[in-house]
Amino acid sequence: MPVWTESQKRAIETQNRSLLVSAGAGSGKTTVLTERILRRLVGGGSVDRLLVVTFTKSAAADMKEKLYAALSRAIAARPNDRHLRSQLYRLSGARICTIHSFCYELIRRNFASLGLSPKVRVADSAECAILSKRCITETLEHFYETGGDDFFALLGNFDSEKSDEPFVKLLLSCYDRIRAYPDYLGFLDQVAAGLEDERDRAAQNGVFATAAGRIVRQESARILERTLEKARALLDFVSTVAVSERNIAPIEALADGLETLSGALEQGYDAFRDALGGFAPPRLYTLQMDVDAAELLKKGKTEIVDSVRKLQKDCYALPEADAAADFAATARLFRPLVGVLRDYDARFSAAKRERRLVDFSDLEHLTARLLAERHEEGYVRTPLCRKLQDAFDEICIDEYQDVNRLQDLIFSSVSKADNRFMVGDVKQSIYRFRLADPRI
């Protein structure tokens, strides 16, 4: 019999509320999930009324094996318990599966309401790659003939002299990433509008008035605060080891220079940029000092100066007018990018539909359509979704840190306020490239 920690016991025993269990690698998260399911079954629950979602087929198979072993042990202790024997027999057909298996099953049962053929199937990666290449080629040929100056300016930023392959890779990467959003085309429009707002703020009120500029300013203030703390600590140190005032004066000047930078930051982007350009800490004077003390002094000063120079290089390479012009160019060129992605999406979707194919992302989007309708106030559950909600006593999701926004919409739609059990660890998120969002 395992010995559970207090936190594990709470995760296993807490009922009638949704729970998110966050714990590090090797802490027994999956074991806790297995024990929680087992106790529900021992208490009279049915495996038919559970939905357990993992991120890989092997993880789903492993979960079934663990539950089989746990149920077998429970039956050995209670050999006359017919309910437990029934659960053991039903386990092979239980909904312990990947999210895509769950989605595919639901779609196949409701293909008519989605306007799909009953012969719809999941395309393999080779089929998808061939179709995708054909459709993106058609899209670019269309824009080569009809695209305006902004399209060719966009293309010029990413193509090479020999090929448009870098641009193609960019487009397909963008498309794959935005598909993690429920309304991915609407998301593109939101981004375009946001970039235009940023452009207007930069032009009217300066770079620091933009969302990106505020982040840069906050980071600049944080770096200055940290380097000033280091300079003051260095000043305290040199005051104890100095053999003359000449050893102390350069560090005092360094701290004063950082104070000047902090004041310039409050005056605006260009004022701070100019101050960075004029930042010139004096040379150290370490003559007659202890060798080790002098070395620590040099190292401390180098770290401070390097931090300031890196900030200057990374964030203030351009004058404010040029930075504002970049905001304008980004907003202008994003619109043709949206147009290209919309065209590709229409062609790729039509090609798959014609061949009665869906890809893994389609499975999630089609399932979201079955479960939730978009309204001005947000997403509202469909009648099918409400019926499906009543079919599950609990919905358990393993590796929740790898869930993206579209998948979260599916899970939140099909679950109730008090029957979702989620297990995960932000530090183990491995699907950020697919826009998995551990903050969910």
Side-chain angles (χ1 to χ4, degrees), residues 353-410:
R353 191 164 51 248
E354 180 183 342
R355 292 163 177 78
R356 300 194 289 266
L357 298 176
V358 291
D359 59 25
F360 288 118
S361 183
D362 291 327
L363 292 176
E364 295 173 4
H365 281 279
L366 291 168
T367 299
R369 275 175 53 190
L370 288 171
L371 299 177
E373 295 175 345
R374 185 175 176 83
H375 293 253
E376 287 186 6
E377 66 274 16
Y379 286 93
V380 177
R381 291 181 177 91
T382 63
L384 172 64
C385 183
R386 291 193 293 272
K387 181 179 179 182
L388 197 59
Q389 275 185 309
D390 293 334
F392 299 123
D393 292 332
E394 186 163 65
I395 296 171
C396 303
I397 305 133
D398 200 8
E399 308 295 353
Y400 206 78
Q401 75 276 356
D402 288 321
V403 166
N404 63 37
R405 293 180 185 274
L406 175 58
Q407 293 163 348
D408 186 62
L409 172 63
I410 292 170

Side-chain angles (χ1 to χ4, degrees), residues 130-202:
I130 292 169
L131 273 184
S132 174
K133 181 66 175 178
R134 182 182 305 164
C135 292
I136 197 66
T137 299
E138 291 173 359
T139 289
L140 289 179
E141 287 175 352
H142 169 72
F143 276 87
Y144 287 147
E145 294 177 2
T146 64
D149 292 343
D150 286 347
F151 166 75
F152 286 102
L154 171 68
L155 178 64
N157 278 278
F158 299 102
D159 69 343
S160 66
E161 294 181 0
K162 298 181 179 179
S163 167
D164 59 8
E165 194 60 30
F167 187 51
V168 170
K169 288 182 178 179
L170 169 75
L171 293 172
L172 296 180
S173 174
C174 286
Y175 185 74
D176 287 343
R177 291 172 68 82
I178 64 170
R179 291 271 281 171
Y181 288 88
D183 179 17
Y184 57 97
L185 296 178
F187 169 73
L188 280 178
D189 292 335
Q190 290 175 11
V191 173
L195 289 173
E196 288 162 2
D197 287 343
E198 292 281 88
R199 171 201 64 198
D200 295 342
R201 290 191 193 98

Side-chain angles (χ1 to χ4, degrees), residues 40-41 44-50 83 86-87 90 393:
R40 177 177 285 276
L41 301 180
S46 173
V47 73
D48 293 338
R49 293 189 58 80
L50 296 177
H83 171 72
S86 171
Q87 298 310 302
R90 293 169 182 264
D393 292 332

Side-chain angles (χ1 to χ4, degrees), residues 14 80 147 150 292 392 426:
T14 301
N80 296 323
D150 286 347
D292 291 337
F392 299 123
V426 171

